[in-house]
Amino acid sequence: MTQPFQSIERLSLNQITTNRWNMSEAVDGCARAGVPWIAMWRDKVADAGLAASRKLVQDAGLRVSSLCRGGYFPAATAAERQARIDDNRRAVEEAAELGAEVLVLVCGPAPDRDIDGARTMVADGIAQLVPFAQQHGVKLGIEPLHPMYAAERSVISTLEQATTLAHQHAAHEVGVVVDVFHVWWDPNLYPQIARAGADGRILGFHVSDWIVPVPDMLLGRGMMGDGVIELRRIRSAVEQAGYTGPIEVEIFNKAIWDQPGDEVLDIMKQRYLEHC
């Protein structure tokens, strides 16, 4: 049985968990709390400035576990699809500048009712992006989202879909991000974790919890231990599949956002050690 963590050396604050903090506040908060990793969001980076964000992280001695997000490839016209590729290229450049090895891809919804066509657009978009990402030393991490988001956020809903899509490219180019909130329910989860890990395609691991009942479709994630997800079992499977990288706490929850950030980090560390 997987043992509980004894330290927080792999713990990463995903910036959305303390959404009211700007970049400087998030970096300072991690430094105060001894959290060694941070996962950045592009809007926070844009607000602070790319060079300033990099300097803040470097001066604090933190490491960047990932940049969120790229993706959103499907669009109604060729011009719109190209504009999204261009934005993804900018995201790759930002990830490289920040020292993030992984750009997280939230692949996007269909612009119409053609969900199969949208999935083809996702595959085409990733294929166009791969050479540029490789030139910049950035890996693309496809994050499958829970099926309830298929109509507005991503037509890639299972780890099996994400891994199959990643297998169209080399393992050092494209992999998957396993977020427990999105995949815990899947009856094929554990075989698919093993499949993704067989050639080193697990590029990230995100934790939170599934509250019952879910208080909000988007802003309803719970702190670890407040819900029903078998966190340690999933962590064990991911590690057995070869992933030993940073573990991001990514929580969309207004009630948590409204709490003082330092308190959130204290609880986050405690729950990470107790439940992950």
Side-chain angles (χ1 to χ4, degrees):
M1 184 175 180
T2 301
Q3 296 301 310
F5 284 121
Q6 301 300 313
S7 75
I8 59 170
E9 63 182 357
R10 293 174 60 193
L11 178 60
S12 178
L13 171 68
N14 186 295
Q15 279 190 285
I16 204 68
T17 303
T18 53
N19 192 40
R20 299 196 186 281
W21 268 353
N22 62 27
M23 182 65 71
S24 178
E25 291 168 332
V27 168
D28 289 347
C30 285
R32 285 193 300 272
V35 175
W37 296 84
I38 187 168
M40 294 183 166
W41 277 69
R42 293 183 68 200
D43 60 328
K44 305 288 190 184
V45 173
D47 288 344
L50 182 57
S53 296
R54 178 179 180 178
K55 187 176 189 304
L56 282 167
V57 168
Q58 290 179 336
D59 289 350
L62 302 183
R63 298 176 67 184
V64 181
S65 55
S66 71
L67 179 65
C68 193
R69 64 188 179 223
Y72 279 79
F73 298 105
T77 69
E80 289 174 312
R81 291 193 290 276
Q82 184 58 52
R84 296 184 183 198
I85 293 296
D86 293 343
D87 183 62
N88 274 275
R89 290 192 175 115
R90 289 191 290 272
V92 166
E93 292 172 335
E94 292 163 13
E97 176 69 17
L98 294 165
E101 293 185 1
V102 178
L103 174 65
V104 177
L105 300 181
V106 175
C107 291
D112 50 27
R113 291 182 173 85
D114 184 1
I115 194 168
D116 290 337
R119 288 174 178 144
T120 298
M121 292 180 202
V122 169
D124 290 346
I126 291 173
Q128 289 187 59
L129 191 59
V130 163
F132 189 81
Q134 278 299 288
Q135 291 171 11
H136 288 78
V138 174
K139 298 178 181 180
L140 305 177
I142 303 169
E143 181 178 13
L145 267 56
H146 191 281
M148 68 180 173
Y149 297 122
E152 58 180 333
R153 294 184 181 274
S154 181
V155 294
I156 306 302
S157 302
T158 67
L159 187 57
E160 181 176 10
Q161 285 178 300
T163 303
T164 297
L165 189 53
H167 273 124
Q168 296 180 18
H169 307 277
H172 68 274
E173 296 172 335
V174 183
V176 299
V177 174
V178 179
D179 185 317
V180 298
F181 182 82
H182 295 303
V183 302
W184 70 274
W185 57 274
D186 188 346
N188 293 317
L189 175 59
Y190 296 99
Q192 290 304 316
I193 287 175
R195 177 185 173 220
D199 57 351
R201 290 187 188 267
I202 300 176
L203 302 181
F205 183 48
H206 298 181
V207 296
S208 59
D209 218 331
W210 186 282
I211 302 170
V212 179
V214 178
D216 184 271
M217 184 170 167
L218 178 61
L219 305 180
R221 301 191 195 192
M223 188 64 74
M224 296 81 72
D226 286 345
V228 299
I229 298 177
E230 294 179 286
L231 292 166
R232 195 163 292 162
R233 181 185 178 194
I234 299 175
R235 194 256 288 183
S236 176
V238 167
E239 289 178 348
Q240 288 176 15
Y243 182 77
T244 57
I247 298 175
E248 297 181 14
V249 176
E250 184 182 43
I251 300 176
F252 292 71
N253 188 310
K254 187 177 182 299
I256 290 175
W257 293 350
D258 288 341
Q259 297 173 27
D262 286 314
E263 294 182 12
V264 172
L265 261 64
D266 285 344
I267 296 170
M268 182 182 85
K269 290 192 300 180
Q270 176 187 345
R271 298 296 186 84
Y272 173 83
L273 294 171
E274 290 177 351
H275 297 283
C276 294

